[in-house]
């Protein structure tokens, strides 16, 4: 995927400004402004009328309002490696109101010795919230490793009734 294939829009979430990006295939990014591993969006065309971006913004608004518990959006995660994509797919299987650990996620993926690599892939998740990387916790439930900041991770887990 070339960055010129991406269109974007800004979204004002209750947890701070976000950048949403999409291709013709689906939603390719949801980042908090200034988060770790965020994109360089220079050259991306703003298109708030893009159907996937409009729908993503509407579903995020419903999620933050407590009216939506999951997302039904086409995703375009081709920017990740096959390993990252397998991790991101596993994240989508963590239901709202539940959490898992990096070690458990590694076991579930058949890579029990790869918790650090799993953690790195979780941290590179380009579709925050929609692909729920905030539901992955450290050992004994420690709040660790959220590219958008631990305050946001805490707020998302509170919104979902976990904390």
């Amino acid at each position: 995927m070339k960055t010129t294939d991406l269109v974007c829009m800004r979204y004002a979430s209750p947890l701070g400004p976000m950048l949403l990006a999409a291709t013709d295939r689906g939603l390719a990014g949801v980042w908090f402004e200034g988060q770790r591993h965020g994109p360089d969006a220079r050259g991306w065309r703003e298109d708030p009328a893009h159907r996937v971006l409009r729908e993503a913004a509407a579903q995020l608004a419903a999620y933050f309002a407590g009216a939506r518990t999951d997302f039904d959006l086409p995703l375009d995660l081709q920017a990740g490696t096959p390993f990252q994509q397998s991790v991101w797919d596993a994240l989508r299987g963590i239901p709202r109101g539940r959490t898992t650990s990096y070690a458990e996620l590694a076991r579930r993926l058949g890579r029990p010795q790869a918790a650090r690599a799993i953690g790195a892939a979780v941290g590179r998740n380009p579709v925050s919230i929609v692909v729920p990387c905030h539901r992955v916790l450290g050992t004994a439930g420690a709040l660790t490793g959220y590219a958008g900041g631990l305050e946001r991770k805490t707020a998302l887990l509170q919104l979902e009734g976990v904390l």
Side-chain angles (χ1 to χ4, degrees), residues 6 44 47 64 66 92 95 139:
L6 290 164
W44 294 5
D47 185 2
F64 282 116
R92 294 173 62 203
T139 305

Side-chain angles (χ1 to χ4, degrees), residues 21-143:
T23 67
D24 288 339
R25 293 175 58 177
L27 187 66
V30 176
W31 301 276
F32 287 102
E33 193 172 282
Q35 83 171 48
R36 262 187 328 228
H37 312 299
D40 178 359
R42 289 180 294 194
W44 294 5
R45 183 173 51 88
E46 293 223 16
D47 185 2
H50 188 278
R51 65 176 177 74
V52 172
L53 296 177
R54 272 195 340 260
E55 184 60 26
Q59 289 189 26
L60 283 165
Y63 167 84
F64 282 116
R68 179 177 269 288
T69 60
D70 58 357
F71 296 91
D72 181 24
L73 296 162
L75 298 178
D76 183 351
L77 301 175
Q78 65 179 325
T81 66
F83 175 74
Q84 288 172 325
Q85 290 177 25
S86 72
V87 172
W88 301 337
D89 189 51
L91 293 174
R92 294 173 62 203
I94 306 168
R96 181 187 176 106
R98 294 305 241 324
T99 60
T100 193
S101 69
Y102 296 99
E104 177 56 32
L105 197 55
R107 278 191 294 279
R108 212 175 308 154
L109 287 166
R111 310 272 308 257
Q113 303 302 315
R116 286 183 190 263
I118 300 287
V122 169
R124 296 277 182 183
N125 170 25
V127 189
S128 297
I129 304 171
V130 175
V131 174
C133 55
H134 60 278
R135 296 178 186 153
V136 182
L137 305 177
T139 305
L143 290 175

